[in-house]
Amino acid sequence: MSVNPYIKLILPAITGCLLTSAVKAQTTDSIKIAPYPKYNHVTPQCKLLFGKNYRQLWALPVKIKVLHLATEKGGLKITEEGGGNQTKSLHLEDAAGNKYALRSVQKYPGKALPKEERKTVKKDIVQDEVSTSNPYSALIVPPLADALGIMHSNPEIVYVGDDEALGK
């Protein structure tokens, strides 16, 4: 089944990595990094109350491609910011006019809370619940959709470092 290039997704692994990793990423094709190790660095009581979930997977360093906006797909330019209550995203376009979405693997559900609760323990609990999702779950959709004959995107997990094309 052919894939519509207008619905292709590129999913970055944006993490709380050190600046040195981001600088290194500019000159390399891949990087070994974990999506969000903090989910696995919790107390046993936290795991008991909120579950083991996919914490180890969020903390497992994997080798992933580094996305360079200036060279990927002949050069990608940012057309607008996106994202709703849970993700940070950018809409991109290549020179041929094909459109792409760049979304964070990490979710930020705290924005869905009322403003007065965003700096409370409720935000921490809601944020921790992201560990219930598998950070790589989007990668299983294409083979399942192919088997069912459903049109789909082909997401990739990529790392976006400190790229000049991002601006401020």
Side-chain angles (χ1 to χ4, degrees):
M1 167 159 279
S2 66
V3 176
N4 183 338
Y6 292 99
I7 60 172
K8 168 113 171 127
L9 297 175
I10 303 172
L11 304 175
I14 297 177
T15 67
C17 64
L18 299 173
L19 182 59
T20 54
S21 294
V23 172
K24 178 182 173 190
Q26 288 182 346
T27 58
T28 62
D29 292 335
S30 64
I31 188 170
K32 190 168 186 177
I33 193 163
Y36 198 71
K38 188 175 178 181
Y39 288 138
N40 201 36
H41 295 225
V42 295
T43 64
Q45 293 84 356
C46 181
K47 287 182 184 177
L48 180 65
L49 284 172
F50 301 111
K52 291 181 182 177
N53 307 327
Y54 289 99
R55 295 178 190 281
Q56 289 182 336
L57 204 50
W58 281 94
L60 182 66
V62 294
K63 184 178 177 181
I64 57 176
K65 174 182 171 181
V66 173
L67 180 75
H68 300 281
L69 293 172
T71 57
E72 184 73 24
K73 311 280 184 210
L76 295 169
K77 68 176 183 175
I78 299 168
T79 57
E80 65 180 297
E81 286 186 44
N85 284 331
Q86 292 198 21
T87 62
K88 294 180 180 180
S89 67
L90 295 172
H91 297 269
L92 309 170
E93 191 172 322
D94 66 17
N98 295 314
K99 297 179 187 304
Y100 302 87
L102 182 64
R103 286 189 333 177
S104 60
V105 169
Q106 171 64 301
K107 306 294 183 229
Y108 304 92
K111 289 171 37 180
L113 291 171
K115 282 192 177 191
E116 62 274 5
E117 295 178 0
R118 291 182 189 169
K119 293 186 179 181
T120 68
V121 71
K122 287 181 185 179
K123 183 210 172 256
D124 296 335
I125 292 169
V126 170
Q127 184 65 55
D128 183 73
E129 289 305 299
V130 173
S131 71
T132 64
S133 67
N134 183 318
Y136 307 108
S137 60
L139 300 177
I140 192 60
V141 173
L144 294 174
D146 279 343
L148 296 170
I150 299 171
M151 196 172 203
H152 60 83
S153 62
N154 283 313
E156 297 176 62
I157 305 289
V158 298
Y159 178 86
V160 179
D162 187 16
D163 193 315
E164 286 183 20
L166 292 173
K168 289 187 180 188

